[in-house]
Structure formats: structure tokens, C-alpha cells
């Protein structure tokens, strides 16, 4: 990766250094993030909370290279992604970061297995490898029997489980989940959060979860609280019984 440089904290999967993000809104500059600095260690499960407009989703998008900071540095696995070219960050996301969004982001004309296979096909993986990994990912989320169904034939919980399988299929170092239970009932949401926690505990994936729900945040091991674009608190989650 020619445009990126190795930098940052040696033991952090993600290191944020004085990260700011500003937007132009009419005649005003709106600062969505204001000097955010913290580290996330390998294998951690960090929940990010805060009121609406606090900068939670903006921060997650910056961590995933879906947007670039106005200033400051974001280092993922030792590489400053904020210095990458568009092509470099696209390849990095495709191979190292799994995403789970509130609205699922599944392609409506693709079956469950085709949606899960997409990141591997875009990365030009061998068909035999793609088939085996898609099967394993759908088995892990309990949807092997629904592989031929399109999103409009699935429940909300099933669609989110397909999205989790799509995130897992690349065997990512990092999964970024943005309000993954926001469109689900409580019981289904707990099932989805258990799958995400299992990816953390069994696969060793580092998880960053954005949520407004304290119960969802408690699935993690640390809660980072944002307010007005700034980190105002960081607390470990009490051990679950």
C-alpha cells in the first residue's frame, strides 16, 4: 500500500489520535467529532454510546474508512488508514473489516448466500473457497437452510443474521456494528448481539458496537460515551453472571 504508512500504538487494533470531523451546514461549520483520542486493543468488544447527534456513527464510519477525518489520525492494525488512497482503503475494508448496519444493506435481488459471498467475489477469491466459506458462515448464524431465500423472504432478524454472516465470511480482524438491533424486537436483538459476542469470544474478532441501548452496550467489555463529539467517559462493563 503505497499511500499508507505504518504508525501508531503497537498493541492497538485501532488508535485514534485527536480526530476531528467537520461538516458544512448552510453558512455554519458543524463539528461532529472534536479531538477524539483513544485505543482499542486486539480482541476487545467496545460499545460506543451517546445521545443522538453525539458523533457515534460518524466515528464508526471513520474507523471503517467509509469517511475521512477533517484532522487527526486513525490507525488500524498499525496502518494510518486516513493516509490511504481510495483504492487502498477499499481493498483494506474488503479484507480486514466486517460491517453490520441497522438497515442490513443486503442486495434485494440476491439470495442469502449470494449476499454473503459478495465481498469474497469482489476480492476475486476462488469459487471453491467462496462456497466453503459462505456455507460455514451461514451455518454459524443458523441460516444454512435459508441460503436460497432473498431478503424479502426473510424476517428482520434473519436479514441481520445474513449481514453478520457476510461480515464473518472474510474472517475479519475487526467488525464494526452500527445500531445492529435498531430495527429488531428485544428477543431477536438479543440473539443478534449473542452472535456478535460469539464472534468476539470464539473467533477473537475485535468488535466496535454503536448503540443507544444500554442493554446492548452491556454485551461489550468497555463502554465509551460520546457527547457533542467528545469522549466524556470510558468504563469497563461489569462481568456478566
Amino acid at each position: 500500500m503505497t499511500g499508507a504508512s505504518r504508525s501508531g500504538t503497537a498493541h492497538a487494533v485501532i488508535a485514534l489520535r485527536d480526530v476531528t470531523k467537520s461538516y458544512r451546514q448552510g453558512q455554519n461549520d458543524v463539528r461532529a467529532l472534536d479531538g477524539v483520542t483513544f485505543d482499542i486493543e486486539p480482541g476487545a468488544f467496545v460499545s460506543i454510546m451517546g445521545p443522538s447527534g453525539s458523533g457515534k456513527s460518524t466515528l464508526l464510519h471513520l474507523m471503517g474508512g467509509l469517511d475521512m477525518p477533517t484532522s487527526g489520525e486513525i490507525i488500524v492494525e498499525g496502518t494510518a488508514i486516513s493516509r490511504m488512497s481510495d483504492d487502498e482503503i477499499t481493498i483494506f475494508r474488503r479484507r480486514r473489516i466486517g460491517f453490520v448496519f441497522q438497515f442490513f444493506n443486503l442486495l434485494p435481488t440476491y439470495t442469502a448466500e449470494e449476499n454473503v459471498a459478495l465481498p469474497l467475489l469482489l476480492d476475486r477469491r476462488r469459487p471453491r473457497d467462496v462456497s466453503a466459506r459462505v456455507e460455514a458462515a451461514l451455518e454459524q448464524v443458523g441460516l444454512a437452510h435459508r441460503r436460497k431465500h432473498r431478503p424479502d423472504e426473510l424476517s428482520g432478524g434473519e436479514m441481520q443474521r445474513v449481514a453478520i454472516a457476510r461480515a464473518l465470511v472474510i474472517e475479519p480482524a475487526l467488525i464494526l456494528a452500527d445500531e445492529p438491533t435498531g430495527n429488531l424486537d428485544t428477543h431477536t436483538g438479543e440473539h443478534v448481539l449473542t452472535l456478535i459476542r460469539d464472534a468476539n469470544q470464539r473467533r477473537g474478532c475485535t468488535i466496535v458496537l454503536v448503540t443507544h441501548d444500554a442493554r446492548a452496550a452491556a454485551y461489550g467489555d468497555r463502554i465509551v460515551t460520546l457527547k457533542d463529539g467528545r469522549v466524556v467517559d470510558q468504563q469497563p462493563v461489569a462481568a456478566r453472571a
Side-chain angles (χ1 to χ4, degrees):
M1 294 183 178
T2 56
S5 63
R6 304 291 292 183
S7 179
T9 306
H11 301 295
V13 170
I14 302 176
L16 299 114
R17 297 290 176 264
D18 199 25
V19 172
T20 68
K21 181 65 180 180
S22 297
Y23 298 96
R24 192 71 177 174
Q25 193 173 67
Q27 299 299 313
N28 301 316
D29 285 322
V30 176
R31 181 161 287 196
L33 294 173
D34 188 6
V36 172
T37 296
F38 66 92
D39 291 349
I40 297 176
E41 303 304 314
F45 186 155
V46 175
S47 300
I48 299 177
M49 294 193 70
S52 179
S54 62
K56 304 186 300 297
S57 291
T58 298
L59 180 58
L60 196 82
H61 292 170
L62 294 180
M63 289 181 184
L66 298 172
D67 199 358
M68 290 292 120
T70 303
S71 63
E73 193 160 61
I74 301 169
I75 301 147
V76 180
E77 292 195 306
T79 298
I81 63 170
S82 44
R83 301 179 194 175
M84 289 181 180
S85 69
D86 288 345
D87 287 345
E88 287 169 342
I89 192 61
T90 297
I91 293 169
F92 187 82
R93 280 197 307 264
R94 188 185 299 155
R95 295 178 177 174
R96 303 302 297 156
I97 304 175
F99 294 91
V100 182
F101 297 104
Q102 178 176 353
F103 296 104
F104 319 129
N105 288 10
L106 301 179
L107 294 179
T109 60
Y110 280 30
T111 64
E113 65 181 358
E114 289 169 338
N115 270 285
V116 174
L118 189 58
L120 299 178
L121 295 174
L122 290 173
D123 206 33
R124 299 182 180 180
R125 303 293 181 92
R126 293 185 302 176
R128 183 167 55 186
D129 292 341
V130 171
S131 179
R133 288 171 69 167
V134 168
E135 182 177 357
L138 285 170
E139 287 278 0
Q140 185 170 347
V141 301
L143 284 179
H145 64 297
R146 304 285 274 168
R147 68 182 67 208
K148 298 297 184 183
H149 292 257
R150 292 189 301 273
D152 64 358
E153 300 170 310
L154 302 172
S155 69
E158 287 172 332
M159 284 192 283
Q160 194 60 289
R161 285 152 63 192
V162 171
I164 292 170
R166 182 183 56 193
L168 292 172
V169 78
I170 65 170
E171 298 179 357
L174 172 66
I175 292 178
L176 302 177
D178 191 358
E179 297 280 10
T181 62
N183 284 332
L184 305 176
D185 62 68
T186 300
H187 176 74
T188 305
E190 288 175 351
H191 187 193
V192 164
L193 290 166
T194 297
L195 288 171
I196 293 172
R197 189 172 67 197
D198 285 349
N200 172 249
Q201 296 178 342
R202 297 183 185 182
R203 288 180 173 236
C205 293
T206 303
I207 309 290
V208 181
L209 169 72
V210 160
T211 182
H212 67 280
D213 184 347
R215 290 176 299 179
Y219 277 74
D221 51 50
R222 175 162 56 116
I223 297 175
V224 175
T225 304
L226 295 182
K227 185 178 180 180
D228 298 328
R230 298 181 180 182
V231 175
V232 295
D233 192 28
Q234 296 190 59
Q235 294 289 338
V237 175
R240 286 176 290 270

